[in-house]
mmCIF file of all heavy atoms in Angstrom:
data_model
loop_
_atom_site.group_PDB
_atom_site.id
_atom_site.type_symbol
_atom_site.label_atom_id
_atom_site.label_comp_id
_atom_site.label_asym_id
_atom_site.label_seq_id
_atom_site.Cartn_x
_atom_site.Cartn_y
_atom_site.Cartn_z
ATOM 1 N N THR A 1 -40.778 -6.434 2.769
ATOM 2 C CA THR A 1 -40.842 -5.071 3.382
ATOM 3 C C THR A 1 -41.753 -5.082 4.649
ATOM 4 O O THR A 1 -41.345 -4.439 5.629
ATOM 5 C CB THR A 1 -41.417 -4.143 2.350
ATOM 6 O OG1 THR A 1 -40.614 -4.120 1.174
ATOM 7 C CG2 THR A 1 -41.540 -2.714 2.943
ATOM 8 N N LEU A 2 -42.845 -5.828 4.610
ATOM 9 C CA LEU A 2 -43.749 -5.895 5.817
ATOM 10 C C LEU A 2 -42.950 -6.497 7.009
ATOM 11 O O LEU A 2 -43.060 -6.044 8.114
ATOM 12 C CB LEU A 2 -44.948 -6.763 5.488
ATOM 13 C CG LEU A 2 -45.852 -7.070 6.649
ATOM 14 C CD1 LEU A 2 -46.407 -5.815 7.295
ATOM 15 C CD2 LEU A 2 -47.016 -7.970 6.237
ATOM 16 N N SER A 3 -42.182 -7.531 6.741
ATOM 17 C CA SER A 3 -41.486 -8.316 7.804
ATOM 18 C C SER A 3 -40.406 -7.461 8.410
ATOM 19 O O SER A 3 -40.225 -7.384 9.683
ATOM 20 C CB SER A 3 -40.929 -9.585 7.255
ATOM 21 O OG SER A 3 -40.132 -10.191 8.258
ATOM 22 N N THR A 4 -39.668 -6.669 7.609
ATOM 23 C CA THR A 4 -38.459 -6.033 8.086
ATOM 24 C C THR A 4 -38.696 -4.545 8.481
ATOM 25 O O THR A 4 -37.967 -4.014 9.289
ATOM 26 C CB THR A 4 -37.358 -6.101 7.057
ATOM 27 O OG1 THR A 4 -37.740 -5.595 5.802
ATOM 28 C CG2 THR A 4 -36.931 -7.563 6.820
ATOM 29 N N THR A 5 -39.667 -3.921 7.825
ATOM 30 C CA THR A 5 -39.874 -2.518 8.174
ATOM 31 C C THR A 5 -41.269 -2.194 8.683
ATOM 32 O O THR A 5 -41.635 -1.029 8.909
ATOM 33 C CB THR A 5 -39.751 -1.657 6.886
ATOM 34 O OG1 THR A 5 -40.639 -2.087 5.846
ATOM 35 C CG2 THR A 5 -38.275 -1.805 6.352
ATOM 36 N N GLY A 6 -41.988 -3.264 8.904
ATOM 37 C CA GLY A 6 -43.345 -3.095 9.598
ATOM 38 C C GLY A 6 -44.376 -2.525 8.706
ATOM 39 O O GLY A 6 -44.227 -2.360 7.483
ATOM 40 N N TYR A 7 -45.544 -2.205 9.278
ATOM 41 C CA TYR A 7 -46.725 -1.649 8.516
ATOM 42 C C TYR A 7 -46.385 -0.294 8.004
ATOM 43 O O TYR A 7 -46.880 0.108 6.917
ATOM 44 C CB TYR A 7 -47.966 -1.684 9.335
ATOM 45 C CG TYR A 7 -48.448 -3.086 9.626
ATOM 46 C CD1 TYR A 7 -48.153 -3.762 10.806
ATOM 47 C CD2 TYR A 7 -49.225 -3.769 8.658
ATOM 48 C CE1 TYR A 7 -48.598 -5.048 11.043
ATOM 49 C CE2 TYR A 7 -49.677 -5.060 8.917
ATOM 50 C CZ TYR A 7 -49.344 -5.669 10.120
ATOM 51 O OH TYR A 7 -49.833 -6.957 10.335
ATOM 52 N N LEU A 8 -45.576 0.502 8.665
ATOM 53 C CA LEU A 8 -45.205 1.819 8.231
ATOM 54 C C LEU A 8 -44.343 1.743 6.961
ATOM 55 O O LEU A 8 -44.661 2.442 5.916
ATOM 56 C CB LEU A 8 -44.472 2.569 9.304
ATOM 57 C CG LEU A 8 -43.942 4.001 8.897
ATOM 58 C CD1 LEU A 8 -45.157 4.900 8.566
ATOM 59 C CD2 LEU A 8 -43.145 4.588 10.016
ATOM 60 N N GLY A 9 -43.371 0.860 6.988
ATOM 61 C CA GLY A 9 -42.559 0.668 5.740
ATOM 62 C C GLY A 9 -43.304 0.152 4.576
ATOM 63 O O GLY A 9 -43.130 0.612 3.475
ATOM 64 N N LEU A 10 -44.223 -0.815 4.852
ATOM 65 C CA LEU A 10 -45.036 -1.331 3.740
ATOM 66 C C LEU A 10 -45.947 -0.282 3.191
ATOM 67 O O LEU A 10 -46.149 -0.158 1.970
ATOM 68 C CB LEU A 10 -45.871 -2.492 4.245
ATOM 69 C CG LEU A 10 -46.800 -3.230 3.213
ATOM 70 C CD1 LEU A 10 -45.994 -3.782 2.066
ATOM 71 C CD2 LEU A 10 -47.656 -4.283 3.858
ATOM 72 N N SER A 11 -46.538 0.526 4.045
ATOM 73 C CA SER A 11 -47.406 1.681 3.571
ATOM 74 C C SER A 11 -46.644 2.626 2.678
ATOM 75 O O SER A 11 -47.150 3.055 1.616
ATOM 76 C CB SER A 11 -48.006 2.402 4.803
ATOM 77 O OG SER A 11 -48.766 1.519 5.612
ATOM 78 N N VAL A 12 -45.436 2.975 3.096
ATOM 79 C CA VAL A 12 -44.634 3.900 2.266
ATOM 80 C C VAL A 12 -44.284 3.256 0.942
ATOM 81 O O VAL A 12 -44.311 3.932 -0.123
ATOM 82 C CB VAL A 12 -43.342 4.294 3.044
ATOM 83 C CG1 VAL A 12 -42.411 5.107 2.134
ATOM 84 C CG2 VAL A 12 -43.666 5.087 4.248
ATOM 85 N N TYR A 13 -43.976 1.917 0.974
ATOM 86 C CA TYR A 13 -43.650 1.253 -0.229
ATOM 87 C C TYR A 13 -44.768 1.187 -1.251
ATOM 88 O O TYR A 13 -44.623 1.398 -2.454
ATOM 89 C CB TYR A 13 -43.094 -0.121 0.068
ATOM 90 C CG TYR A 13 -42.166 -0.723 -0.950
ATOM 91 C CD1 TYR A 13 -41.032 -0.075 -1.325
ATOM 92 C CD2 TYR A 13 -42.431 -1.970 -1.532
ATOM 93 C CE1 TYR A 13 -40.141 -0.601 -2.202
ATOM 94 C CE2 TYR A 13 -41.582 -2.506 -2.433
ATOM 95 C CZ TYR A 13 -40.399 -1.831 -2.822
ATOM 96 O OH TYR A 13 -39.558 -2.361 -3.715
ATOM 97 N N VAL A 14 -46.006 0.878 -0.666
ATOM 98 C CA VAL A 14 -47.164 0.849 -1.526
ATOM 99 C C VAL A 14 -47.484 2.226 -2.027
ATOM 100 O O VAL A 14 -47.870 2.384 -3.150
ATOM 101 C CB VAL A 14 -48.374 0.325 -0.679
ATOM 102 C CG1 VAL A 14 -49.645 0.464 -1.475
ATOM 103 C CG2 VAL A 14 -48.135 -1.189 -0.335
ATOM 104 N N LEU A 15 -47.257 3.264 -1.207
ATOM 105 C CA LEU A 15 -47.482 4.647 -1.685
ATOM 106 C C LEU A 15 -46.577 5.014 -2.848
ATOM 107 O O LEU A 15 -47.002 5.711 -3.807
ATOM 108 C CB LEU A 15 -47.243 5.644 -0.525
ATOM 109 C CG LEU A 15 -47.468 7.127 -0.858
ATOM 110 C CD1 LEU A 15 -48.910 7.401 -1.243
ATOM 111 C CD2 LEU A 15 -47.106 7.994 0.375
ATOM 112 N N ILE A 16 -45.365 4.512 -2.876
ATOM 113 C CA ILE A 16 -44.453 4.759 -3.980
ATOM 114 C C ILE A 16 -45.055 4.150 -5.259
ATOM 115 O O ILE A 16 -45.034 4.780 -6.347
ATOM 116 C CB ILE A 16 -43.074 4.142 -3.708
ATOM 117 C CG1 ILE A 16 -42.381 4.905 -2.593
ATOM 118 C CG2 ILE A 16 -42.154 4.128 -4.950
ATOM 119 C CD1 ILE A 16 -41.081 4.288 -2.151
ATOM 120 N N PHE A 17 -45.557 2.952 -5.172
ATOM 121 C CA PHE A 17 -46.176 2.303 -6.345
ATOM 122 C C PHE A 17 -47.428 3.017 -6.782
ATOM 123 O O PHE A 17 -47.636 3.103 -8.029
ATOM 124 C CB PHE A 17 -46.408 0.842 -6.051
ATOM 125 C CG PHE A 17 -45.235 -0.067 -6.203
ATOM 126 C CD1 PHE A 17 -44.354 -0.240 -5.122
ATOM 127 C CD2 PHE A 17 -44.901 -0.678 -7.414
ATOM 128 C CE1 PHE A 17 -43.224 -1.038 -5.219
ATOM 129 C CE2 PHE A 17 -43.782 -1.419 -7.516
ATOM 130 C CZ PHE A 17 -42.965 -1.621 -6.422
ATOM 131 N N LEU A 18 -48.254 3.496 -5.895
ATOM 132 C CA LEU A 18 -49.439 4.169 -6.210
ATOM 133 C C LEU A 18 -49.056 5.463 -6.915
ATOM 134 O O LEU A 18 -49.738 5.915 -7.924
ATOM 135 C CB LEU A 18 -50.348 4.420 -5.010
ATOM 136 C CG LEU A 18 -50.949 3.184 -4.326
ATOM 137 C CD1 LEU A 18 -51.710 3.596 -3.134
ATOM 138 C CD2 LEU A 18 -51.844 2.483 -5.378
ATOM 139 N N SER A 19 -48.060 6.176 -6.397
ATOM 140 C CA SER A 19 -47.605 7.410 -7.057
ATOM 141 C C SER A 19 -47.047 7.095 -8.445
ATOM 142 O O SER A 19 -47.262 7.907 -9.369
ATOM 143 C CB SER A 19 -46.437 8.045 -6.150
ATOM 144 O OG SER A 19 -46.960 8.331 -4.948
ATOM 145 N N ALA A 20 -46.347 5.972 -8.571
ATOM 146 C CA ALA A 20 -45.792 5.584 -9.868
ATOM 147 C C ALA A 20 -46.876 5.335 -10.907
ATOM 148 O O ALA A 20 -46.824 5.692 -12.065
ATOM 149 C CB ALA A 20 -44.918 4.341 -9.745
ATOM 150 N N LEU A 21 -48.032 4.732 -10.398
ATOM 151 C CA LEU A 21 -49.141 4.497 -11.316
ATOM 152 C C LEU A 21 -49.775 5.812 -11.747
ATOM 153 O O LEU A 21 -50.188 5.950 -12.961
ATOM 154 C CB LEU A 21 -50.226 3.648 -10.623
ATOM 155 C CG LEU A 21 -49.777 2.191 -10.381
ATOM 156 C CD1 LEU A 21 -50.912 1.480 -9.596
ATOM 157 C CD2 LEU A 21 -49.537 1.484 -11.682
ATOM 158 N N TYR A 22 -49.797 6.822 -10.865
ATOM 159 C CA TYR A 22 -50.271 8.163 -11.239
ATOM 160 C C TYR A 22 -49.305 8.763 -12.304
ATOM 161 O O TYR A 22 -49.843 9.330 -13.295
ATOM 162 C CB TYR A 22 -50.334 9.025 -10.057
ATOM 163 C CG TYR A 22 -50.607 10.488 -10.338
ATOM 164 C CD1 TYR A 22 -51.886 10.923 -10.706
ATOM 165 C CD2 TYR A 22 -49.562 11.388 -10.284
ATOM 166 C CE1 TYR A 22 -52.111 12.260 -11.027
ATOM 167 C CE2 TYR A 22 -49.817 12.737 -10.585
ATOM 168 C CZ TYR A 22 -51.024 13.187 -10.903
ATOM 169 O OH TYR A 22 -51.309 14.483 -11.211
ATOM 170 N N TRP A 23 -48.015 8.587 -12.139
ATOM 171 C CA TRP A 23 -47.084 9.109 -13.102
ATOM 172 C C TRP A 23 -47.186 8.411 -14.460
ATOM 173 O O TRP A 23 -47.082 8.979 -15.494
ATOM 174 C CB TRP A 23 -45.660 9.011 -12.593
ATOM 175 C CG TRP A 23 -45.391 9.893 -11.417
ATOM 176 C CD1 TRP A 23 -45.824 11.193 -11.297
ATOM 177 C CD2 TRP A 23 -44.564 9.589 -10.292
ATOM 178 N NE1 TRP A 23 -45.347 11.693 -10.077
ATOM 179 C CE2 TRP A 23 -44.567 10.815 -9.471
ATOM 180 C CE3 TRP A 23 -43.887 8.495 -9.846
ATOM 181 C CZ2 TRP A 23 -43.933 10.802 -8.227
ATOM 182 C CZ3 TRP A 23 -43.163 8.522 -8.673
ATOM 183 C CH2 TRP A 23 -43.197 9.707 -7.859
ATOM 184 N N CYS A 24 -47.562 7.077 -14.446
ATOM 185 C CA CYS A 24 -47.824 6.334 -15.669
ATOM 186 C C CYS A 24 -48.999 6.991 -16.389
ATOM 187 O O CYS A 24 -48.917 7.139 -17.641
ATOM 188 C CB CYS A 24 -48.139 4.891 -15.335
ATOM 189 S SG CYS A 24 -46.707 3.964 -14.725
ATOM 190 N N TRP A 25 -50.028 7.352 -15.661
ATOM 191 C CA TRP A 25 -51.179 7.941 -16.337
ATOM 192 C C TRP A 25 -50.787 9.347 -16.829
ATOM 193 O O TRP A 25 -51.250 9.763 -17.938
ATOM 194 C CB TRP A 25 -52.332 8.033 -15.273
ATOM 195 C CG TRP A 25 -53.492 8.802 -15.862
ATOM 196 C CD1 TRP A 25 -54.410 8.320 -16.765
ATOM 197 C CD2 TRP A 25 -53.877 10.140 -15.556
ATOM 198 N NE1 TRP A 25 -55.388 9.282 -17.006
ATOM 199 C CE2 TRP A 25 -55.046 10.449 -16.305
ATOM 200 C CE3 TRP A 25 -53.330 11.125 -14.785
ATOM 201 C CZ2 TRP A 25 -55.697 11.636 -16.258
ATOM 202 C CZ3 TRP A 25 -53.965 12.372 -14.743
ATOM 203 C CH2 TRP A 25 -55.125 12.598 -15.456
ATOM 204 N N GLN A 26 -49.965 10.054 -16.093
ATOM 205 C CA GLN A 26 -49.551 11.403 -16.518
ATOM 206 C C GLN A 26 -48.799 11.351 -17.830
ATOM 207 O O GLN A 26 -48.980 12.207 -18.705
ATOM 208 C CB GLN A 26 -48.650 12.004 -15.412
ATOM 209 C CG GLN A 26 -49.425 12.553 -14.242
ATOM 210 C CD GLN A 26 -50.194 13.821 -14.532
ATOM 211 O OE1 GLN A 26 -51.393 13.769 -14.741
ATOM 212 N NE2 GLN A 26 -49.536 14.910 -14.539
ATOM 213 N N VAL A 27 -47.905 10.396 -17.986
ATOM 214 C CA VAL A 27 -47.030 10.319 -19.195
ATOM 215 C C VAL A 27 -47.832 9.823 -20.423
ATOM 216 O O VAL A 27 -47.445 10.124 -21.546
ATOM 217 C CB VAL A 27 -45.806 9.492 -18.981
ATOM 218 C CG1 VAL A 27 -44.980 10.049 -17.839
ATOM 219 C CG2 VAL A 27 -46.183 8.027 -18.739
ATOM 220 N N LEU A 28 -48.925 9.124 -20.193
ATOM 221 C CA LEU A 28 -49.621 8.482 -21.308
ATOM 222 C C LEU A 28 -50.874 9.229 -21.736
ATOM 223 O O LEU A 28 -51.424 8.999 -22.821
ATOM 224 C CB LEU A 28 -49.995 7.044 -20.980
ATOM 225 C CG LEU A 28 -48.811 6.041 -20.819
ATOM 226 C CD1 LEU A 28 -49.355 4.740 -20.349
ATOM 227 C CD2 LEU A 28 -48.032 5.924 -22.091
ATOM 228 N N LYS A 29 -51.335 10.151 -20.931
ATOM 229 C CA LYS A 29 -52.600 10.824 -21.244
ATOM 230 C C LYS A 29 -52.520 11.728 -22.459
ATOM 231 O O LYS A 29 -53.509 11.952 -23.124
ATOM 232 C CB LYS A 29 -53.146 11.578 -19.989
ATOM 233 C CG LYS A 29 -52.302 12.781 -19.596
ATOM 234 C CD LYS A 29 -52.977 13.509 -18.412
ATOM 235 C CE LYS A 29 -52.191 14.765 -18.059
ATOM 236 N NZ LYS A 29 -52.829 15.430 -16.881
ATOM 237 N N ASN A 30 -51.368 12.321 -22.696
ATOM 238 C CA ASN A 30 -51.137 13.165 -23.854
ATOM 239 C C ASN A 30 -50.646 12.325 -25.022
ATOM 240 O O ASN A 30 -49.394 12.150 -25.145
ATOM 241 C CB ASN A 30 -50.226 14.294 -23.517
ATOM 242 C CG ASN A 30 -50.047 15.271 -24.676
ATOM 243 O OD1 ASN A 30 -50.812 15.285 -25.636
ATOM 244 N ND2 ASN A 30 -48.997 16.134 -24.606
ATOM 245 N N LYS A 31 -51.460 11.860 -25.872
ATOM 246 C CA LYS A 31 -51.051 10.991 -26.980
ATOM 247 C C LYS A 31 -50.419 11.759 -28.145
ATOM 248 O O LYS A 31 -49.961 11.158 -29.093
ATOM 249 C CB LYS A 31 -52.273 10.160 -27.458
ATOM 250 C CG LYS A 31 -52.794 9.189 -26.464
ATOM 251 C CD LYS A 31 -53.839 8.290 -27.050
ATOM 252 C CE LYS A 31 -55.122 9.040 -27.420
ATOM 253 N NZ LYS A 31 -56.173 8.170 -27.940
ATOM 254 N N THR A 32 -50.412 13.067 -28.076
ATOM 255 C CA THR A 32 -49.835 13.882 -29.135
ATOM 256 C C THR A 32 -48.369 14.162 -28.937
ATOM 257 O O THR A 32 -47.717 14.773 -29.829
ATOM 258 C CB THR A 32 -50.610 15.208 -29.320
ATOM 259 O OG1 THR A 32 -50.477 15.946 -28.052
ATOM 260 C CG2 THR A 32 -52.062 14.941 -29.601
ATOM 261 N N SER A 33 -47.838 13.845 -27.778
ATOM 262 C CA SER A 33 -46.426 14.130 -27.577
ATOM 263 C C SER A 33 -45.497 13.330 -28.498
ATOM 264 O O SER A 33 -45.815 12.182 -28.823
ATOM 265 C CB SER A 33 -46.068 13.826 -26.091
ATOM 266 O OG SER A 33 -46.270 12.462 -25.781
ATOM 267 N N ALA A 34 -44.359 13.900 -28.883
ATOM 268 C CA ALA A 34 -43.503 13.286 -29.835
ATOM 269 C C ALA A 34 -42.835 11.974 -29.290
ATOM 270 O O ALA A 34 -42.509 11.108 -30.044
ATOM 271 C CB ALA A 34 -42.434 14.245 -30.225
ATOM 272 N N ASP A 35 -42.616 11.954 -27.969
ATOM 273 C CA ASP A 35 -41.955 10.785 -27.385
ATOM 274 C C ASP A 35 -42.938 9.850 -26.672
ATOM 275 O O ASP A 35 -42.577 9.222 -25.707
ATOM 276 C CB ASP A 35 -40.843 11.217 -26.439
ATOM 277 C CG ASP A 35 -41.459 12.148 -25.294
ATOM 278 O OD1 ASP A 35 -42.619 12.578 -25.415
ATOM 279 O OD2 ASP A 35 -40.695 12.419 -24.324
ATOM 280 N N TRP A 36 -44.173 9.770 -27.204
ATOM 281 C CA TRP A 36 -45.233 9.007 -26.543
ATOM 282 C C TRP A 36 -44.888 7.509 -26.553
ATOM 283 O O TRP A 36 -45.089 6.802 -25.502
ATOM 284 C CB TRP A 36 -46.552 9.177 -27.239
ATOM 285 C CG TRP A 36 -47.755 8.617 -26.479
ATOM 286 C CD1 TRP A 36 -48.454 9.208 -25.491
ATOM 287 C CD2 TRP A 36 -48.301 7.307 -26.612
ATOM 288 N NE1 TRP A 36 -49.442 8.404 -25.033
ATOM 289 C CE2 TRP A 36 -49.399 7.190 -25.721
ATOM 290 C CE3 TRP A 36 -48.054 6.268 -27.506
ATOM 291 C CZ2 TRP A 36 -50.149 6.094 -25.633
ATOM 292 C CZ3 TRP A 36 -48.802 5.070 -27.370
ATOM 293 C CH2 TRP A 36 -49.875 5.044 -26.423
ATOM 294 N N TYR A 37 -44.327 6.972 -27.564
ATOM 295 C CA TYR A 37 -43.964 5.557 -27.670
ATOM 296 C C TYR A 37 -42.853 5.215 -26.640
ATOM 297 O O TYR A 37 -42.802 4.129 -26.086
ATOM 298 C CB TYR A 37 -43.557 5.102 -29.092
ATOM 299 C CG TYR A 37 -44.741 5.078 -29.997
ATOM 300 C CD1 TYR A 37 -44.947 6.044 -30.997
ATOM 301 C CD2 TYR A 37 -45.670 4.025 -29.886
ATOM 302 C CE1 TYR A 37 -46.052 5.974 -31.839
ATOM 303 C CE2 TYR A 37 -46.774 3.955 -30.734
ATOM 304 C CZ TYR A 37 -46.946 4.914 -31.725
ATOM 305 O OH TYR A 37 -48.045 4.869 -32.544
ATOM 306 N N LEU A 38 -41.875 6.169 -26.463
ATOM 307 C CA LEU A 38 -40.871 5.951 -25.490
ATOM 308 C C LEU A 38 -41.524 5.876 -24.085
ATOM 309 O O LEU A 38 -41.142 4.979 -23.277
ATOM 310 C CB LEU A 38 -39.845 7.081 -25.538
ATOM 311 C CG LEU A 38 -38.861 7.133 -24.387
ATOM 312 C CD1 LEU A 38 -37.976 5.841 -24.402
ATOM 313 C CD2 LEU A 38 -37.901 8.312 -24.530
ATOM 314 N N LYS A 39 -42.429 6.761 -23.823
ATOM 315 C CA LYS A 39 -43.162 6.712 -22.496
ATOM 316 C C LYS A 39 -43.898 5.447 -22.355
ATOM 317 O O LYS A 39 -43.897 4.814 -21.234
ATOM 318 C CB LYS A 39 -44.125 7.910 -22.446
ATOM 319 C CG LYS A 39 -43.431 9.293 -22.464
ATOM 320 C CD LYS A 39 -44.463 10.391 -22.543
ATOM 321 C CE LYS A 39 -43.732 11.748 -22.473
ATOM 322 N NZ LYS A 39 -44.691 12.880 -22.532
ATOM 323 N N ALA A 40 -44.532 4.900 -23.387
ATOM 324 C CA ALA A 40 -45.248 3.628 -23.311
ATOM 325 C C ALA A 40 -44.305 2.496 -23.020
ATOM 326 O O ALA A 40 -44.600 1.590 -22.207
ATOM 327 C CB ALA A 40 -46.036 3.382 -24.596
ATOM 328 N N ALA A 41 -43.087 2.556 -23.648
ATOM 329 C CA ALA A 41 -42.106 1.492 -23.348
ATOM 330 C C ALA A 41 -41.590 1.538 -21.894
ATOM 331 O O ALA A 41 -41.432 0.532 -21.303
ATOM 332 C CB ALA A 41 -40.917 1.670 -24.348
ATOM 333 N N VAL A 42 -41.404 2.750 -21.388
ATOM 334 C CA VAL A 42 -40.944 2.843 -20.024
ATOM 335 C C VAL A 42 -42.037 2.373 -19.056
ATOM 336 O O VAL A 42 -41.713 1.683 -18.086
ATOM 337 C CB VAL A 42 -40.529 4.311 -19.643
ATOM 338 C CG1 VAL A 42 -40.294 4.533 -18.233
ATOM 339 C CG2 VAL A 42 -39.384 4.748 -20.515
ATOM 340 N N VAL A 43 -43.250 2.712 -19.318
ATOM 341 C CA VAL A 43 -44.373 2.225 -18.486
ATOM 342 C C VAL A 43 -44.468 0.722 -18.523
ATOM 343 O O VAL A 43 -44.670 0.100 -17.470
ATOM 344 C CB VAL A 43 -45.724 2.904 -18.915
ATOM 345 C CG1 VAL A 43 -46.899 2.322 -18.105
ATOM 346 C CG2 VAL A 43 -45.640 4.454 -18.619
ATOM 347 N N ALA A 44 -44.329 0.168 -19.705
ATOM 348 C CA ALA A 44 -44.360 -1.305 -19.858
ATOM 349 C C ALA A 44 -43.240 -1.951 -19.042
ATOM 350 O O ALA A 44 -43.485 -2.965 -18.360
ATOM 351 C CB ALA A 44 -44.294 -1.704 -21.297
ATOM 352 N N SER A 45 -42.066 -1.437 -19.043
ATOM 353 C CA SER A 45 -40.961 -1.910 -18.302
ATOM 354 C C SER A 45 -41.238 -1.827 -16.802
ATOM 355 O O SER A 45 -40.896 -2.677 -16.021
ATOM 356 C CB SER A 45 -39.644 -1.133 -18.637
ATOM 357 O OG SER A 45 -39.322 -1.331 -19.975
ATOM 358 N N PHE A 46 -41.846 -0.681 -16.369
ATOM 359 C CA PHE A 46 -42.153 -0.505 -14.984
ATOM 360 C C PHE A 46 -43.152 -1.506 -14.529
ATOM 361 O O PHE A 46 -43.051 -2.124 -13.465
ATOM 362 C CB PHE A 46 -42.724 0.881 -14.734
ATOM 363 C CG PHE A 46 -43.262 1.140 -13.413
ATOM 364 C CD1 PHE A 46 -42.433 1.296 -12.294
ATOM 365 C CD2 PHE A 46 -44.668 1.066 -13.092
ATOM 366 C CE1 PHE A 46 -42.959 1.415 -10.975
ATOM 367 C CE2 PHE A 46 -45.154 1.196 -11.858
ATOM 368 C CZ PHE A 46 -44.323 1.425 -10.801
#
């Protein structure tokens, strides 16, 4: 990504992953949800 899209493209790509880590925290913080194990499996796959 750095080579083909430059520092702007790499920054956007890293931002996507940082946002995804935030979503990981969002889905796992509520341990009382009925589908918590499914969420944990999706985060592990990610």
Side-chain angles (χ1 to χ4, degrees):
T1 302
L2 172 61
S3 176
T4 58
T5 61
Y7 290 97
L8 178 61
L10 180 63
S11 300
V12 173
Y13 206 56
V14 171
L15 181 61
I16 291 175
F17 279 88
L18 293 178
S19 301
L21 291 177
Y22 171 76
W23 291 322
C24 290
W25 176 76
Q26 284 288 99
V27 301
L28 293 176
K29 68 177 182 179
N30 182 15
K31 294 188 292 183
T32 61
S33 60
D35 56 350
W36 191 85
Y37 286 107
L38 172 60
K39 296 176 179 178
V42 172
V43 172
S45 297
F46 172 77

